[in-house]
Amino acid sequence: MSLTKPVDGTVSLESDTAQQSAADADRILVERVQNGDVAAFDNLVRKYRERLYGIIYNLTSNREDAADLTQEAFIKAFSSINRFRGNSAFFTWLYRIGVNTALSHLKRNRLRRFFSLDHIQEEGSNAQVLETLAAKHKSEKGALLSELQEKLNEAMQKLSPKHRTVVVLFEIEGLSHQEIADIVGCSVGTVRSRLHYAKQQLQADLKHFID
Amino acid sequence: MGSDQEKEKITVEDLLQLKRNEKPAEDFWDNFEKDFHRRRLNALMEKGTNSAIGFISLFKALAFTLPALLLVGMTVFWSRSSEPSLSRSATVSNEPVVFDTGESLVQIESPQPAATEALPDFSSDRVTNQFVVDAIQSSPSSGASFRKVLYTPAIRLSPANGASYVRDNLSSSDYRVTTADLKLGRNF
C-alpha cells in the first residue's frame, strides 16, 4: 500500500518494493484464513482497520455509522475470503468492499443524514497550516479548528458520493490514481477528471480559508 | 520573501490533509475489536446453519427424486423390453435389475430403500438463522441458549468454517460454555 504519494499520483520505485512485500505478507495471511485459520484474519483487521475506518468515516461523516460499516465491511471480506483469488492486492479488494458498503449505506439513507465527527488532533505536519490560518484569521486555534472542521465537512458532503470517494482516497488516504481506479472500478482518466472537478468545487466552498 | 508567501499560502490540499488527523478516541479500537469478534462469530454460526440447512434440503430432495427417477427409468426400460417385436425379458426384484438384450446382459442397481431409512430426522431440531443470532447475542450469563445451539444437529461447522474458532470462543469467559458442554455438543 502507498504510504506516501508523489504529487502526480504515480507510485515510485521505492514504494513499489514496500507495496510488494506488504502484498506478500497479506497473501500469506489470506491463504491462512482460506485454510480455516480464522484468527489470522485478526492480523488483517488490525493492519487495515484504521485506514478502512478513515475511508468510511470521511465518506459518511458519522463516526457511529463508520464504526458499524467498517465492521460490516470486514465481515463481508471475511465471509467471502474464499472468493479472493489474489488478482489484485488484498487492500484494494478490501477497500472496494468498504467503499461499496459505505456508498450503499449513503444511498439507503440519503434522506436521513446525521453527522458526528471525530476529534481533530493538533499535531504533526498540520500544525504549520493551523498556525498560518490562525494568524491570517486572527483567531484562537481551537475555535478556528472547530470552524474549519465544520466547513470542511459541509464542503465534502456537498460533493456527490462518487466525487467524494475520489477525494477521500487520493487526498486523505494518499492512494495513487491507479489504486483508486482499481477500487472504484473506473479508468485512471475518470479518476483524474473526478478529482479535478471535486477540487474545483471544494476550492469554491472553502475560499474563505484559502484566499 | 516570495518563498515565505508561498509557505503561508493555504491550498485546498492542505485543508483536506487536516482530515487525516480526525481520529477516534483511544479506547475506540478495543470496543471495535470486541464487537468485530462477536459479529464474526455470528457470521460463522449463520454460515454453518445456512450450509447445514442447504445440505439437508438437497439431501431430502435427492432422497425423494432419485428413487422416483430410477423408477421411471426402469418403467421405460421394462415397457420397451415387454414389446413383442424386441423379444427381451426383464426381472425386477430387490436384486439388481438385469436386462437381457439378446446380445449381452446389462445390470442396473435397484434403488436403495436403506438410503432413505438412513436419513436422520432433522426437522424437529432445525433452527432458524435468527435463533442462532439471538442465542449468540443474548446475555453472556444465559448459557442455556448456547447449549441449545451446541446440541442442535442442524448446525454443522466444517474446519474450513472455523469450527475450532467458534468452539474456543464459546468456551471463553465471554460466553461461559463449559468444556463439558463442548464435549457433549454434537457439533464440534
Side-chain angles (χ1 to χ4, degrees):
Chain A
M1 177 178 27
S2 301
L3 298 175
T4 55
K5 178 196 65 200
V7 178
D8 64 355
T10 57
V11 180
S12 70
L13 195 64
E14 200 177 304
S15 66
D16 251 0
T17 318
Q19 260 186 312
Q20 191 52 50
S21 61
D24 288 344
D26 288 353
R27 192 169 41 76
I28 292 167
L29 286 171
V30 168
E31 278 172 12
R32 279 173 56 191
V33 182
Q34 286 173 335
N35 289 322
D37 182 358
V38 178
F41 195 76
D42 287 348
N43 294 327
L44 291 166
V45 172
R46 280 188 210 111
K47 186 171 176 182
Y48 289 112
R49 64 188 185 187
E50 286 173 44
R51 303 200 83 192
L52 190 63
Y53 170 82
I55 291 170
I56 296 176
Y57 165 75
N58 283 308
L59 285 173
T60 58
S61 292
N62 184 307
R63 59 183 176 200
E64 288 81 17
D65 286 351
D68 190 48
L69 294 169
T70 306
Q71 288 190 1
E72 191 180 322
F74 274 122
I75 293 292
K76 281 181 185 169
F78 175 73
S79 301
S80 51
I81 195 93
N82 286 330
R83 274 183 263 149
F84 176 70
R85 294 274 167 255
N87 297 330
S88 60
F90 173 75
F91 85 88
T92 313
W93 184 72
L94 177 67
Y95 287 5
R96 193 183 307 144
I97 293 174
V99 166
N100 288 338
T101 304
L103 293 182
S104 303
H105 169 81
L106 290 173
K107 206 172 173 184
R108 274 198 311 272
N109 300 288
R110 62 179 177 274
L111 300 175
R112 186 177 57 84
R113 303 293 312 282
F114 303 103
F115 304 124
S116 67
L117 303 176
D118 281 326
H119 178 69
I120 293 193
Q121 292 165 0
E122 296 176 42
E123 60 181 24
S125 58
N126 298 312
Q128 179 63 44
V129 175
L130 282 176
E131 292 285 347
T132 308
L133 278 172
K136 269 186 179 178
H137 292 266
K138 297 184 177 64
S139 56
E140 190 258 323
K141 257 201 310 186
L144 176 77
L145 200 57
S146 304
E147 189 193 348
L148 183 56
Q149 188 181 23
E150 194 184 315
K151 296 289 178 199
L152 259 173
N153 185 49
E154 274 175 21
M156 287 289 282
Q157 291 303 320
K158 276 192 197 172
L159 297 174
S160 75
K162 272 183 189 174
H163 289 95
R164 202 184 313 147
T165 304
V166 175
V167 170
V168 168
L169 294 177
F170 187 81
E171 293 296 345
I172 305 175
E173 292 305 319
L175 300 184
S176 71
H177 291 138
Q178 183 60 59
E179 287 167 340
I180 297 170
D182 291 343
I183 291 165
V184 177
C186 65
S187 69
V188 171
T190 306
V191 171
R192 284 182 204 273
S193 111
R194 282 183 192 170
L195 197 56
H196 179 72
Y197 175 82
K199 280 211 245 177
Q200 276 185 329
Q201 290 274 106
L202 290 172
Q203 207 133 17
D205 286 336
L206 297 167
K207 65 178 178 218
H208 172 67
F209 296 98
I210 296 168
D211 286 341
Chain B
M1 180 78 181
S3 67
D4 282 352
Q5 279 180 336
E6 278 297 306
K7 265 186 197 171
E8 292 196 354
K9 197 177 169 191
I10 303 291
T11 63
V12 73
E13 288 84 0
D14 292 330
L15 297 181
L16 286 169
Q17 290 202 6
L18 285 173
K19 286 192 78 65
R20 288 185 180 182
N21 283 5
E22 272 180 36
K23 288 186 177 155
E26 280 180 13
D27 60 344
F28 173 86
W29 295 114
D30 291 338
N31 295 330
F32 180 92
E33 201 156 324
K34 275 183 200 159
D35 279 352
F36 172 70
H37 285 158
R38 184 181 53 76
R39 285 173 79 159
R40 180 168 61 188
L41 202 55
N42 292 346
L44 282 165
M45 298 297 277
E46 279 185 87
K47 202 171 169 183
T49 313
N50 284 339
S51 57
I53 289 174
F55 174 73
I56 293 159
S57 308
L58 180 70
F59 197 39
K60 278 189 173 176
L62 285 177
F64 282 108
T65 51
L66 272 184
L69 282 174
L70 280 171
L71 200 64
V72 170
M74 275 171 47
T75 313
V76 171
F77 265 110
W78 201 2
S79 62
R80 280 190 183 173
S81 63
S82 307
E83 287 173 20
S85 58
L86 295 174
S87 68
R88 289 172 187 166
S89 65
T91 310
V92 180
S93 71
N94 282 339
E95 298 299 316
V97 183
V98 179
F99 291 90
D100 181 359
T101 61
E103 293 166 358
S104 61
L105 289 177
V106 177
Q107 181 173 316
I108 296 175
E109 293 294 326
S110 61
Q112 297 294 313
T116 313
E117 285 162 19
L119 261 180
D121 178 20
F122 287 107
S123 55
S124 59
D125 290 319
R126 186 178 291 180
V127 290
T128 62
N129 295 341
Q130 195 52 50
F131 173 87
V132 178
V133 174
D134 289 346
I136 293 292
Q137 283 176 338
S138 61
S139 150
S141 58
S142 60
S145 56
F146 288 105
R147 284 194 191 94
K148 269 194 215 167
V149 174
L150 285 167
Y151 300 155
T152 302
I155 300 168
R156 287 284 184 278
L157 293 162
S158 70
N161 284 346
S164 58
Y165 175 82
V166 175
R167 181 197 58 213
D168 293 346
N169 271 271
L170 289 179
S171 60
S172 73
S173 57
D174 285 348
Y175 296 108
R176 294 177 193 170
V177 175
T178 65
T179 314
D181 291 334
L182 292 168
K183 277 182 183 166
L184 287 169
R186 286 182 282 175
N187 300 304
F188 300 104

